[in-house]
Amino acid sequence: MSKGHKVRGGRREVRFGTAEVIRDLDRPDGWLLSVDGVAQSYVDLDDPTHLEFDYVRRIGDVIDCLPAGPLTTVHIGGGACTLPRYVAATRPGSRQLVLDPDEELIDLVRERLDLRSVPALRVRISDGREGIATRGEDSADLVVLDAFVSAEMPGGLATVEFARDVNRVLRPAGTYVLNVTDGPKWQFARRVVASVAEVFDEVLLLADPGVLRGRRFGNMVVAASMSGLPVAELTRRAASAAFPARLVTGEKLREFHRGAKPITDAEGVTAPTPPDTAFT
């Protein structure tokens, strides 16, 4: 039930800026979390299966198409923990770990957005590289990377070396899903896809057609596995969504990243930021 009597909205200084919890006037218990004016997460406390952001809905579609049953999941990047709430609601019995370096932000989410109510969810204050390095081999069914400092993806999470460590943590049939943002010409996204494809046998990309045509900055969801991906079902879901997306895989995806150099730890690459600092 909605807990509208509890104080939820407000601002707080956190590690990476000023966080704000803002009520959605269109939903009784919907809340937007932003940091320095950049939308980070949206949660509906009455309905955790409601995924407001289009790219988050695409990640949700990937999760929905995985084999039935509970999942052991690692989330790199917490925010308001939208996807951990979704997994807990749609796959009861799942065990989940969130890795996030911003302790003050997580404390705000615990206090204002009922994070402790999510069953079998642990949060560790750690960045993605350090947190993944501590996980055992073949210990997770799903790793989700949706981590940003303000509007920028940490470059160290985009490298081949990091993808290899994620693959080490995943079980043989496990799936890696990541959110990448980029603008026209996709210079960063092409290299991220090339890095993931260097490690995983199967890779696909989901994005708004306008983003894929290079018309605007936006989100691209990349999914990867060593044992196959639910391409047919995801293609159907993408085409029938309220805001349709395109799925790219196989030769068309190889064309997308052809000539792009995989990112390595030695480079110190900087991810692009959106011109209007807003996610889609």
Side-chain angles (χ1 to χ4, degrees):
M1 293 180 61
S2 170
K3 302 177 180 63
H5 63 279
K6 183 175 181 178
V7 175
R8 298 204 186 280
R11 295 186 179 186
R12 182 175 300 177
E13 294 303 311
V14 296
R15 178 176 176 182
F16 297 116
T18 302
E20 186 171 11
V21 177
I22 306 164
R23 183 176 181 180
D24 179 358
L25 299 180
D26 293 329
R27 300 183 72 89
D29 217 357
W31 298 90
L32 176 71
L33 174 68
S34 69
V35 177
D36 287 346
V38 179
Q40 297 286 338
S41 302
Y42 180 101
V43 295
D44 186 328
L45 298 180
D46 286 336
D47 180 10
T49 67
H50 174 74
L51 302 178
E52 180 77 7
F53 296 168
D54 292 344
Y55 86 88
V56 179
R57 178 65 265 172
R58 291 169 196 141
I59 296 175
D61 286 341
V62 175
I63 294 170
D64 289 348
C65 292
L66 299 179
L71 296 171
T72 300
T73 303
V74 179
H75 301 265
I76 304 164
C81 293
T82 305
L83 285 165
R85 296 171 198 262
Y86 182 81
V87 171
T90 59
R91 292 174 177 263
S94 293
R95 293 182 301 131
Q96 302 187 82
L97 172 67
V98 169
L99 304 171
D100 195 294
D102 195 330
E103 184 171 10
E104 293 83 3
L105 181 65
I106 293 298
D107 285 346
L108 174 65
V109 174
R110 284 194 180 109
E111 176 188 324
R112 301 295 179 94
L113 297 175
D114 290 344
L115 188 59
R116 290 187 178 90
S117 69
V118 183
L121 174 65
R122 294 184 299 128
V123 180
R124 177 177 297 170
I125 304 305
S126 171
D127 70 27
R129 291 297 294 257
E130 293 173 354
I132 284 291
T134 68
R135 309 312 297 161
E137 291 187 17
D138 301 339
S139 61
D141 302 304
L142 173 67
V143 174
V144 179
L145 168 57
D146 186 13
F148 289 81
V149 176
S150 187
E152 182 178 311
M153 177 183 178
L157 302 180
T159 68
V160 171
E161 290 88 348
F162 182 65
R164 286 181 183 140
D165 211 20
V166 169
N167 190 32
R168 177 189 63 80
V169 170
L170 284 169
R171 291 169 179 148
T175 303
Y176 180 32
V177 185
L178 55 158
N179 172 39
V180 184
T181 57
D182 205 356
K185 299 183 180 179
W186 326 296
Q187 293 180 350
F188 179 67
R190 290 176 65 243
R191 296 194 66 192
V192 172
V193 173
S195 302
V196 173
E198 184 87 358
V199 176
F200 290 89
D201 291 342
E202 301 289 335
V203 184
L204 64 78
L205 182 151
L206 285 161
D208 178 278
V211 174
L212 284 175
R213 294 187 187 113
R215 293 177 179 173
R216 63 181 179 86
F217 196 101
N219 301 80
M220 297 183 179
V221 171
V222 179
S225 177
M226 297 299 289
S227 63
L229 293 164
V231 172
E233 177 59 25
L234 282 172
T235 299
R236 286 191 291 270
R237 285 182 175 235
S240 62
F243 296 95
R246 281 185 55 200
L247 185 147
V248 183
T249 192
E251 184 55 34
K252 289 186 177 179
L253 187 64
R254 285 187 284 274
E255 290 176 8
F256 174 83
H257 68 82
R258 183 166 288 129
K261 182 182 176 184
I263 301 167
T264 66
D265 283 347
E267 288 187 65
V269 67
T270 300
T273 56
D276 58 357
T277 65
F279 292 130
T280 59

Short mmCIF file of all heavy atoms in Angstrom, two decimals, residues 49 51 53-67 71 83 86-87 90-91 142 144 175 177 204 206-207 221 223 229-247:
data_model
loop_
_atom_site.label_atom_id
_atom_site.label_comp_id
_atom_site.label_asym_id
_atom_site.label_seq_id
_atom_site.Cartn_x
_atom_site.Cartn_y
_atom_site.Cartn_z
N THR A 49 6.60 -2.97 -10.52
CA THR A 49 6.73 -3.46 -11.90
C THR A 49 6.56 -2.34 -12.92
O THR A 49 6.76 -2.57 -14.11
CB THR A 49 5.70 -4.57 -12.20
OG1 THR A 49 4.38 -4.01 -12.19
CG2 THR A 49 5.80 -5.69 -11.19
N LEU A 51 7.90 0.51 -14.89
CA LEU A 51 9.22 1.02 -15.27
C LEU A 51 9.01 2.25 -16.15
O LEU A 51 8.63 2.14 -17.32
CB LEU A 51 10.02 -0.07 -16.00
CG LEU A 51 10.23 -1.36 -15.19
CD1 LEU A 51 10.99 -2.39 -16.02
CD2 LEU A 51 10.96 -1.08 -13.87
N PHE A 53 11.14 4.81 -17.24
CA PHE A 53 12.09 5.18 -18.30
C PHE A 53 12.09 4.11 -19.37
O PHE A 53 12.13 2.90 -19.06
CB PHE A 53 13.50 5.33 -17.73
CG PHE A 53 13.68 6.44 -16.73
CD1 PHE A 53 14.83 6.50 -15.97
CD2 PHE A 53 12.72 7.42 -16.55
CE1 PHE A 53 15.03 7.52 -15.04
CE2 PHE A 53 12.89 8.43 -15.62
CZ PHE A 53 14.05 8.48 -14.86
N ASP A 54 12.12 4.52 -20.63
CA ASP A 54 12.07 3.56 -21.73
C ASP A 54 13.22 2.57 -21.69
O ASP A 54 13.03 1.37 -21.90
CB ASP A 54 12.10 4.30 -23.08
CG ASP A 54 10.83 5.11 -23.33
OD1 ASP A 54 9.83 4.86 -22.62
OD2 ASP A 54 10.86 5.99 -24.20
N TYR A 55 14.43 3.05 -21.42
CA TYR A 55 15.58 2.14 -21.44
C TYR A 55 15.49 1.13 -20.29
O TYR A 55 15.91 -0.03 -20.44
CB TYR A 55 16.91 2.90 -21.42
CG TYR A 55 17.41 3.27 -20.05
CD1 TYR A 55 18.21 2.39 -19.32
CD2 TYR A 55 17.09 4.51 -19.48
CE1 TYR A 55 18.68 2.73 -18.06
CE2 TYR A 55 17.56 4.84 -18.23
CZ TYR A 55 18.35 3.95 -17.52
OH TYR A 55 18.80 4.29 -16.27
N VAL A 56 14.93 1.53 -19.17
CA VAL A 56 14.77 0.60 -18.05
C VAL A 56 13.74 -0.46 -18.40
O VAL A 56 13.89 -1.64 -18.06
CB VAL A 56 14.38 1.36 -16.76
CG1 VAL A 56 14.21 0.38 -15.60
CG2 VAL A 56 15.44 2.39 -16.41
N ARG A 57 12.70 -0.05 -19.13
CA ARG A 57 11.71 -1.03 -19.60
C ARG A 57 12.37 -2.05 -20.53
O ARG A 57 12.03 -3.25 -20.48
CB ARG A 57 10.58 -0.31 -20.32
CG ARG A 57 9.47 -1.17 -20.92
CD ARG A 57 8.68 -1.91 -19.86
NE ARG A 57 9.21 -3.27 -19.65
CZ ARG A 57 8.79 -4.07 -18.68
NH1 ARG A 57 7.90 -3.66 -17.80
NH2 ARG A 57 9.30 -5.29 -18.56
N ARG A 58 13.31 -1.62 -21.34
CA ARG A 58 14.02 -2.56 -22.23
C ARG A 58 14.87 -3.53 -21.42
O ARG A 58 14.94 -4.72 -21.75
CB ARG A 58 14.87 -1.78 -23.23
CG ARG A 58 14.01 -1.03 -24.26
CD ARG A 58 14.80 -0.06 -25.10
NE ARG A 58 13.89 0.87 -25.76
CZ ARG A 58 14.11 2.17 -25.94
NH1 ARG A 58 15.25 2.70 -25.51
NH2 ARG A 58 13.22 2.92 -26.55
N ILE A 59 15.52 -3.04 -20.38
CA ILE A 59 16.26 -3.96 -19.50
C ILE A 59 15.29 -4.93 -18.85
O ILE A 59 15.56 -6.13 -18.73
CB ILE A 59 17.07 -3.18 -18.45
CG1 ILE A 59 18.14 -2.32 -19.13
CG2 ILE A 59 17.73 -4.15 -17.46
CD1 ILE A 59 18.91 -1.43 -18.17
N GLY A 60 14.14 -4.41 -18.42
CA GLY A 60 13.12 -5.28 -17.84
C GLY A 60 12.67 -6.35 -18.81
O GLY A 60 12.42 -7.50 -18.41
N ASP A 61 12.56 -6.00 -20.08
CA ASP A 61 12.17 -7.00 -21.09
C ASP A 61 13.23 -8.10 -21.19
O ASP A 61 12.88 -9.29 -21.32
CB ASP A 61 12.00 -6.33 -22.46
CG ASP A 61 10.72 -5.51 -22.54
OD1 ASP A 61 9.81 -5.73 -21.72
OD2 ASP A 61 10.64 -4.65 -23.45
N VAL A 62 14.50 -7.72 -21.16
CA VAL A 62 15.56 -8.74 -21.19
C VAL A 62 15.42 -9.67 -19.99
O VAL A 62 15.48 -10.91 -20.13
CB VAL A 62 16.96 -8.09 -21.22
CG1 VAL A 62 18.04 -9.16 -21.13
CG2 VAL A 62 17.15 -7.25 -22.48
N ILE A 63 15.21 -9.10 -18.82
CA ILE A 63 15.07 -9.91 -17.62
C ILE A 63 13.86 -10.83 -17.74
O ILE A 63 13.92 -12.02 -17.40
CB ILE A 63 14.96 -9.01 -16.38
CG1 ILE A 63 16.28 -8.24 -16.17
CG2 ILE A 63 14.62 -9.82 -15.13
CD1 ILE A 63 16.20 -7.14 -15.13
N ASP A 64 12.75 -10.31 -18.24
CA ASP A 64 11.52 -11.10 -18.39
C ASP A 64 11.72 -12.31 -19.30
O ASP A 64 11.06 -13.34 -19.13
CB ASP A 64 10.39 -10.25 -18.95
CG ASP A 64 9.87 -9.23 -17.96
OD1 ASP A 64 10.21 -9.32 -16.77
OD2 ASP A 64 9.12 -8.33 -18.40
N CYS A 65 12.60 -12.17 -20.28
CA CYS A 65 12.79 -13.22 -21.28
C CYS A 65 13.82 -14.27 -20.86
O CYS A 65 14.05 -15.24 -21.60
CB CYS A 65 13.19 -12.61 -22.62
SG CYS A 65 11.87 -11.65 -23.40
N LEU A 66 14.45 -14.10 -19.71
CA LEU A 66 15.37 -15.11 -19.21
C LEU A 66 14.58 -16.30 -18.68
O LEU A 66 13.39 -16.20 -18.41
CB LEU A 66 16.26 -14.51 -18.12
CG LEU A 66 17.15 -13.34 -18.55
CD1 LEU A 66 17.97 -12.83 -17.36
CD2 LEU A 66 18.05 -13.74 -19.71
N PRO A 67 15.21 -17.46 -18.53
CA PRO A 67 14.50 -18.64 -18.03
C PRO A 67 13.77 -18.35 -16.72
O PRO A 67 14.23 -17.56 -15.89
CB PRO A 67 15.62 -19.67 -17.83
CG PRO A 67 16.65 -19.28 -18.84
CD PRO A 67 16.62 -17.78 -18.89
N LEU A 71 16.44 -15.40 -9.59
CA LEU A 71 17.74 -15.07 -10.16
C LEU A 71 18.68 -14.62 -9.05
O LEU A 71 18.28 -13.92 -8.12
CB LEU A 71 17.62 -13.95 -11.19
CG LEU A 71 16.80 -14.22 -12.44
CD1 LEU A 71 16.61 -12.93 -13.22
CD2 LEU A 71 17.46 -15.27 -13.31
N LEU A 83 15.43 -1.51 -10.65
CA LEU A 83 15.47 -2.87 -11.19
C LEU A 83 15.54 -3.94 -10.10
O LEU A 83 14.89 -4.99 -10.25
CB LEU A 83 16.61 -3.01 -12.20
CG LEU A 83 16.30 -2.34 -13.54
CD1 LEU A 83 17.55 -2.17 -14.38
CD2 LEU A 83 15.24 -3.11 -14.32
N TYR A 86 12.08 -4.43 -9.19
CA TYR A 86 11.36 -5.13 -10.26
C TYR A 86 11.63 -6.63 -10.21
O TYR A 86 10.70 -7.45 -10.30
CB TYR A 86 11.80 -4.56 -11.62
CG TYR A 86 11.09 -5.17 -12.81
CD1 TYR A 86 9.83 -4.74 -13.16
CD2 TYR A 86 11.71 -6.16 -13.56
CE1 TYR A 86 9.17 -5.29 -14.26
CE2 TYR A 86 11.06 -6.72 -14.65
CZ TYR A 86 9.79 -6.28 -15.01
OH TYR A 86 9.14 -6.84 -16.08
N VAL A 87 12.89 -7.00 -10.07
CA VAL A 87 13.24 -8.43 -10.01
C VAL A 87 12.59 -9.08 -8.78
O VAL A 87 12.06 -10.19 -8.86
CB VAL A 87 14.78 -8.61 -9.99
CG1 VAL A 87 15.15 -10.05 -9.70
CG2 VAL A 87 15.38 -8.17 -11.33
N THR A 90 8.87 -9.57 -9.66
CA THR A 90 8.53 -10.47 -10.77
C THR A 90 9.15 -11.84 -10.65
O THR A 90 8.68 -12.80 -11.29
CB THR A 90 8.96 -9.85 -12.12
OG1 THR A 90 10.38 -9.63 -12.12
CG2 THR A 90 8.25 -8.52 -12.37
N ARG A 91 10.18 -11.97 -9.81
CA ARG A 91 10.85 -13.26 -9.62
C ARG A 91 11.10 -13.50 -8.13
O ARG A 91 12.23 -13.39 -7.65
CB ARG A 91 12.17 -13.31 -10.41
CG ARG A 91 11.94 -13.32 -11.93
CD ARG A 91 13.25 -13.22 -12.67
NE ARG A 91 13.05 -13.30 -14.11
CZ ARG A 91 13.20 -14.40 -14.85
NH1 ARG A 91 13.55 -15.54 -14.28
NH2 ARG A 91 13.01 -14.36 -16.15
N LEU A 142 22.74 -13.10 -13.45
CA LEU A 142 22.52 -11.84 -14.16
C LEU A 142 23.38 -10.75 -13.52
O LEU A 142 23.42 -10.62 -12.30
CB LEU A 142 21.04 -11.46 -14.06
CG LEU A 142 20.61 -10.10 -14.60
CD1 LEU A 142 20.76 -10.04 -16.12
CD2 LEU A 142 19.16 -9.80 -14.20
N VAL A 144 23.73 -6.58 -14.03
CA VAL A 144 23.16 -5.40 -14.67
C VAL A 144 24.06 -4.21 -14.36
O VAL A 144 24.29 -3.89 -13.19
CB VAL A 144 21.73 -5.12 -14.18
CG1 VAL A 144 21.18 -3.86 -14.85
CG2 VAL A 144 20.82 -6.31 -14.47
N THR A 175 23.68 -13.85 -17.99
CA THR A 175 23.47 -12.73 -18.91
C THR A 175 24.00 -11.45 -18.31
O THR A 175 23.83 -11.18 -17.11
CB THR A 175 21.97 -12.56 -19.22
OG1 THR A 175 21.45 -13.78 -19.75
CG2 THR A 175 21.74 -11.44 -20.22
N VAL A 177 23.81 -7.33 -18.82
CA VAL A 177 23.02 -6.28 -19.44
C VAL A 177 23.59 -4.94 -19.00
O VAL A 177 23.83 -4.73 -17.81
CB VAL A 177 21.53 -6.37 -19.04
CG1 VAL A 177 20.71 -5.33 -19.80
CG2 VAL A 177 20.97 -7.76 -19.30
N LEU A 204 23.58 -8.42 -28.24
CA LEU A 204 22.53 -7.70 -28.96
C LEU A 204 22.44 -6.29 -28.41
O LEU A 204 22.92 -6.00 -27.30
CB LEU A 204 21.19 -8.43 -28.89
CG LEU A 204 20.50 -8.62 -27.53
CD1 LEU A 204 19.79 -7.35 -27.04
CD2 LEU A 204 19.49 -9.76 -27.62
N LEU A 206 19.60 -2.91 -28.04
CA LEU A 206 18.23 -2.39 -28.13
C LEU A 206 18.29 -0.88 -27.97
O LEU A 206 18.91 -0.37 -27.03
CB LEU A 206 17.36 -2.97 -27.03
CG LEU A 206 16.88 -4.41 -27.16
CD1 LEU A 206 16.44 -4.93 -25.79
CD2 LEU A 206 15.74 -4.50 -28.17
N ALA A 207 17.64 -0.16 -28.88
CA ALA A 207 17.65 1.30 -28.78
C ALA A 207 16.50 1.90 -29.56
O ALA A 207 15.94 1.28 -30.47
CB ALA A 207 18.98 1.87 -29.27
N VAL A 221 20.71 -0.20 -24.79
CA VAL A 221 20.80 -1.34 -23.89
C VAL A 221 21.52 -2.46 -24.61
O VAL A 221 21.11 -2.88 -25.71
CB VAL A 221 19.40 -1.79 -23.43
CG1 VAL A 221 19.48 -3.11 -22.67
CG2 VAL A 221 18.76 -0.72 -22.56
N ALA A 223 22.94 -6.40 -24.32
CA ALA A 223 22.84 -7.66 -23.58
C ALA A 223 23.84 -8.65 -24.18
O ALA A 223 24.04 -8.68 -25.40
CB ALA A 223 21.43 -8.23 -23.64
N LEU A 229 20.85 -15.71 -26.52
CA LEU A 229 19.97 -14.67 -26.01
C LEU A 229 18.58 -14.83 -26.61
O LEU A 229 18.44 -15.36 -27.72
CB LEU A 229 20.54 -13.28 -26.36
CG LEU A 229 21.86 -12.89 -25.67
CD1 LEU A 229 22.50 -11.71 -26.38
CD2 LEU A 229 21.63 -12.57 -24.19
N PRO A 230 17.53 -14.37 -25.93
CA PRO A 230 16.15 -14.53 -26.42
C PRO A 230 15.81 -13.51 -27.50
O PRO A 230 14.94 -12.65 -27.33
CB PRO A 230 15.32 -14.33 -25.15
CG PRO A 230 16.13 -13.40 -24.31
CD PRO A 230 17.57 -13.78 -24.57
N VAL A 231 16.47 -13.62 -28.64
CA VAL A 231 16.38 -12.61 -29.69
C VAL A 231 14.96 -12.49 -30.24
O VAL A 231 14.43 -11.38 -30.40
CB VAL A 231 17.38 -12.91 -30.82
CG1 VAL A 231 17.16 -11.97 -32.00
CG2 VAL A 231 18.81 -12.79 -30.30
N ALA A 232 14.31 -13.60 -30.54
CA ALA A 232 12.98 -13.55 -31.17
C ALA A 232 11.97 -12.87 -30.27
O ALA A 232 11.22 -11.98 -30.71
CB ALA A 232 12.52 -14.96 -31.53
N GLU A 233 11.93 -13.26 -29.00
CA GLU A 233 10.95 -12.67 -28.08
C GLU A 233 11.26 -11.20 -27.83
O GLU A 233 10.36 -10.35 -27.78
CB GLU A 233 10.94 -13.44 -26.76
CG GLU A 233 10.01 -12.86 -25.71
CD GLU A 233 8.56 -12.79 -26.14
OE1 GLU A 233 8.14 -13.59 -27.03
OE2 GLU A 233 7.82 -11.95 -25.60
N LEU A 234 12.54 -10.85 -27.70
CA LEU A 234 12.90 -9.45 -27.49
C LEU A 234 12.58 -8.60 -28.71
O LEU A 234 12.17 -7.44 -28.58
CB LEU A 234 14.38 -9.33 -27.13
CG LEU A 234 14.74 -9.68 -25.69
CD1 LEU A 234 16.25 -9.73 -25.52
CD2 LEU A 234 14.12 -8.69 -24.72
N THR A 235 12.72 -9.16 -29.90
CA THR A 235 12.37 -8.44 -31.13
C THR A 235 10.88 -8.12 -31.13
O THR A 235 10.47 -7.00 -31.47
CB THR A 235 12.74 -9.26 -32.37
OG1 THR A 235 14.16 -9.49 -32.36
CG2 THR A 235 12.37 -8.52 -33.65
N ARG A 236 10.05 -9.08 -30.74
CA ARG A 236 8.61 -8.86 -30.68
C ARG A 236 8.26 -7.79 -29.65
O ARG A 236 7.44 -6.90 -29.91
CB ARG A 236 7.89 -10.16 -30.36
CG ARG A 236 7.83 -11.15 -31.53
CD ARG A 236 6.88 -12.29 -31.25
NE ARG A 236 7.37 -13.19 -30.21
CZ ARG A 236 8.13 -14.25 -30.45
NH1 ARG A 236 8.52 -14.55 -31.69
NH2 ARG A 236 8.53 -15.03 -29.45
N ARG A 237 8.87 -7.89 -28.49
CA ARG A 237 8.58 -6.91 -27.45
C ARG A 237 9.01 -5.50 -27.86
O ARG A 237 8.30 -4.53 -27.62
CB ARG A 237 9.29 -7.30 -26.15
CG ARG A 237 8.63 -8.46 -25.42
CD ARG A 237 9.38 -8.75 -24.12
NE ARG A 237 8.71 -9.79 -23.35
CZ ARG A 237 8.32 -9.66 -22.09
NH1 ARG A 237 8.53 -8.53 -21.44
NH2 ARG A 237 7.71 -10.65 -21.45
N ALA A 238 10.18 -5.41 -28.47
CA ALA A 238 10.68 -4.10 -28.89
C ALA A 238 9.75 -3.46 -29.92
O ALA A 238 9.48 -2.26 -29.87
CB ALA A 238 12.09 -4.23 -29.45
N ALA A 239 9.26 -4.26 -30.86
CA ALA A 239 8.41 -3.74 -31.93
C ALA A 239 7.04 -3.32 -31.42
O ALA A 239 6.41 -2.41 -31.97
CB ALA A 239 8.27 -4.78 -33.03
N SER A 240 6.54 -3.99 -30.36
CA SER A 240 5.18 -3.72 -29.88
C SER A 240 5.14 -2.79 -28.68
O SER A 240 4.06 -2.54 -28.13
CB SER A 240 4.50 -5.05 -29.52
OG SER A 240 5.19 -5.70 -28.47
N ALA A 241 6.28 -2.27 -28.25
CA ALA A 241 6.31 -1.39 -27.08
C ALA A 241 5.61 -0.07 -27.35
O ALA A 241 5.42 0.34 -28.50
CB ALA A 241 7.77 -1.13 -26.68
N ALA A 242 5.21 0.60 -26.27
CA ALA A 242 4.56 1.91 -26.41
C ALA A 242 5.46 2.87 -27.18
O ALA A 242 4.98 3.66 -28.00
CB ALA A 242 4.23 2.46 -25.02
N PHE A 243 6.75 2.80 -26.92
CA PHE A 243 7.74 3.55 -27.69
C PHE A 243 8.67 2.51 -28.31
O PHE A 243 9.63 2.06 -27.68
CB PHE A 243 8.51 4.52 -26.79
CG PHE A 243 7.64 5.58 -26.20
CD1 PHE A 243 7.09 5.43 -24.94
CD2 PHE A 243 7.34 6.72 -26.93
CE1 PHE A 243 6.27 6.40 -24.40
CE2 PHE A 243 6.52 7.70 -26.40
CZ PHE A 243 5.98 7.55 -25.12
N PRO A 244 8.37 2.08 -29.54
CA PRO A 244 9.09 0.95 -30.15
C PRO A 244 10.59 1.17 -30.21
O PRO A 244 11.08 2.29 -30.38
CB PRO A 244 8.48 0.87 -31.55
CG PRO A 244 7.13 1.47 -31.42
CD PRO A 244 7.30 2.58 -30.42
N ALA A 245 11.31 0.07 -30.06
CA ALA A 245 12.76 0.08 -30.17
C ALA A 245 13.17 -0.87 -31.29
O ALA A 245 12.38 -1.67 -31.77
CB ALA A 245 13.39 -0.37 -28.85
N ARG A 246 14.42 -0.76 -31.69
CA ARG A 246 14.99 -1.69 -32.67
C ARG A 246 15.98 -2.60 -31.97
O ARG A 246 16.72 -2.18 -31.08
CB ARG A 246 15.70 -0.93 -33.78
CG ARG A 246 14.78 -0.35 -34.86
CD ARG A 246 15.61 0.25 -35.97
NE ARG A 246 16.56 -0.70 -36.52
CZ ARG A 246 17.65 -0.36 -37.21
NH1 ARG A 246 17.94 0.92 -37.40
NH2 ARG A 246 18.46 -1.29 -37.68
N LEU A 247 15.98 -3.85 -32.38
CA LEU A 247 16.96 -4.81 -31.88
C LEU A 247 17.97 -5.09 -32.98
O LEU A 247 17.58 -5.37 -34.11
CB LEU A 247 16.28 -6.09 -31.42
CG LEU A 247 17.20 -7.14 -30.77
CD1 LEU A 247 16.45 -7.91 -29.69
CD2 LEU A 247 17.74 -8.13 -31.80
#
